């Protein structure tokens, strides 16, 4: 039970961090966000944003599955 709660908290932290990165990339100017994406992540901006969005969707789905599992216990 505690392990599942810890996993949910870690996944929630990851989703929040992904959303923060997405917001940072969108709020920066186009040139600055391109430079940041290549320099920090080693990827182009648009594929990176898509990857972060997909990762966030998967993480939220895992959180839902784990919370449903807790409710069944």
């Amino acid at each position: 039970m505690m392990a599942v709660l810890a996993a949910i908290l870690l996944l929630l932290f990851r989703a929040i961090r992904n959303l923060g990165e997405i917001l940072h990339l969108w709020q920066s100017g186009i040139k600055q966000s391109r430079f940041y994406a290549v320099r920090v992540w080693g990827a182009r901006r648009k594929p990176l944003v898509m990857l972060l969005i997909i990762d966030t969707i998967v993480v939220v789905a895992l959180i839902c599955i784990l919370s449903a599992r807790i409710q069944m216990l």
Side-chain angles (χ1 to χ4, degrees):
M1 177 86 164
M2 293 301 282
V4 175
L5 288 175
I8 288 174
L9 286 175
L10 289 173
L11 289 171
L12 188 61
F13 179 70
R14 181 173 177 164
I16 291 169
R17 196 173 57 191
N18 284 347
L19 291 174
E21 285 292 327
I22 292 169
L23 288 175
H24 179 73
L25 286 169
W26 282 111
Q27 287 178 351
S28 304
I30 292 175
K31 274 188 166 182
Q32 184 180 3
S33 64
R34 277 190 214 151
F35 177 76
Y36 175 78
V38 170
R39 187 77 173 155
V40 173
W41 289 88
R44 292 185 181 166
R45 185 178 68 97
K46 286 183 182 178
L48 176 62
V49 170
M50 287 177 41
L51 176 73
L52 289 172
I53 289 171
I54 291 168
D55 186 49
T56 304
I57 290 169
V58 169
V59 166
V60 170
L62 285 172
I63 290 171
C64 292
I65 290 169
L66 288 175
S67 65
R69 185 178 175 134
I70 286 177
Q71 288 177 359
M72 284 196 291
L73 294 176

